[in-house]
Amino acid sequence: MGPLGDLDIDKIRLFIADHEKTLRMIAVIAVIFLSVLFFWTRGSGETVEIDAPSQEQDSEQTSEQVSDDGSSPDGTISDQKAEIAYVDICGEVKLPGVYKVDTETRVFQVIELAGGLTDSADYTGLNRAEKVFDGQKIVVPKIGDASISVQQGGISQDDGKVNINTADSSQLQTIPGIGPSKASRIIDYRETVGRFNSIEEIMNVSGIGEATFQSIKDYITV
């Protein structure tokens, strides 16, 4: 290397010697700056990755919203409402009339809507725990008045047949061949499944088959 190269190196060495502290400080500052820049950039990237919702999370949130408003995944909404029933109650109640209720309503609740029983009411023939049905007529007789037919109680005035939708246990047992056990099963059936739409449906009750039906069909009605 020639004299010019030696001279340049000497100058550099002298510059470094004279400014050694300054150069060290600049180097430290540069290292700190680069470290801060590195960690800030890395930390920012992690934050973005955490905040970004996944498709699985979106799916779960959508399912929860659908479940909350009662709709199914295809957008339809299930109908969980009970059916409407119009019930006519008359006789020994304070406010006789036709009442709009749902099919989960019990007879005693209709009586309450009608203002309750009068002091002269004979409710012994009423099944007050029975669920109502659309078009039902509840007649509450007066004490000692045998002329009033208690249709709700299960006995038809016209033909003397037992209404299997409204008769209580004792009235069901007036049917030939129906004892306490079968009467209880008939009541359990209509309270869990619903009213009988035809007399033939009584064969759906456990213990009542074709032979029993043939022997009782002339004594029952709906």
Side-chain angles (χ1 to χ4, degrees), residues 53-74:
S54 65
Q55 292 182 352
E56 183 178 354
Q57 290 173 333
D58 287 343
S59 176
E60 291 175 355
Q61 292 174 355
T62 303
S63 298
E64 289 174 357
Q65 292 172 354
V66 168
S67 176
D68 287 343
D69 63 13
S71 59
S72 61
D74 60 2

Side-chain angles (χ1 to χ4, degrees), residues 124-127 152-154 166-173 183 187 190:
T124 56
L126 298 177
N127 181 7
Q152 191 280 333
T166 58
D168 60 19
S169 179
S170 61
Q171 291 164 339
L172 288 170
Q173 291 178 56
I187 293 173
R190 71 192 187 198

Side-chain angles (χ1 to χ4, degrees), residues 44-160:
S44 175
E46 289 178 349
T47 301
V48 172
E49 181 179 350
I50 292 173
D51 288 345
S54 65
Q55 292 182 352
E56 183 178 354
Q57 290 173 333
D58 287 343
S59 176
E60 291 175 355
Q61 292 174 355
T62 303
S63 298
E64 289 174 357
Q65 292 172 354
V66 168
S67 176
D68 287 343
D69 63 13
S71 59
S72 61
D74 60 2
T76 59
I77 298 177
S78 59
D79 184 7
Q80 300 178 347
K81 295 182 179 179
E83 295 180 2
I84 296 298
Y86 289 89
V87 179
D88 183 6
I89 183 169
C90 60
E92 295 303 311
V93 290
K94 297 176 182 178
L95 298 172
V98 176
Y99 290 87
K100 179 182 178 181
V101 295
D102 62 55
T103 50
E104 293 300 311
T105 305
R106 305 284 178 167
V107 169
F108 79 90
Q109 293 173 310
V110 177
I111 293 174
E112 290 176 354
L113 290 174
L117 299 171
T118 67
D119 294 337
S120 302
D122 181 5
Y123 55 84
T124 56
L126 298 177
N127 181 7
R128 290 174 290 172
E130 181 186 17
K131 289 183 180 180
V132 302
F133 56 89
D134 187 39
Q136 183 176 7
K137 185 177 181 64
I138 303 172
V139 181
V140 182
K142 188 174 183 178
I143 295 174
D145 192 349
S147 63
I148 296 181
S149 169
V150 187
Q151 181 175 335
Q152 191 280 333
I155 306 298
S156 171
Q157 184 180 19
D158 296 333
D159 51 20

Side-chain angles (χ1 to χ4, degrees), residues 38 44 82 84 178 214:
F38 172 77
S44 175
I84 296 298
I178 301 296
Q214 292 298 327

Side-chain angles (χ1 to χ4, degrees), residues 154 156 159-165 167 171-172 174-176 178 186 196 198-203 208 212-222:
S156 171
D159 51 20
K161 292 183 178 181
V162 176
N163 189 321
I164 56 177
N165 280 317
Q171 291 164 339
L172 288 170
T174 63
I175 303 171
I178 301 296
I186 292 171
F196 298 98
S198 66
I199 60 174
E200 286 78 12
E201 288 185 17
I202 199 171
M203 287 186 288
I208 300 180
T212 301
F213 172 72
Q214 292 298 327
S215 67
I216 67 174
K217 66 179 182 178
D218 294 333
Y219 300 93
I220 61 176
T221 186
V222 294

Side-chain angles (χ1 to χ4, degrees), residues 1-11:
M1 186 176 293
L4 182 60
D6 294 338
L7 181 61
D8 291 340
I9 293 174
D10 291 337
K11 287 182 178 180

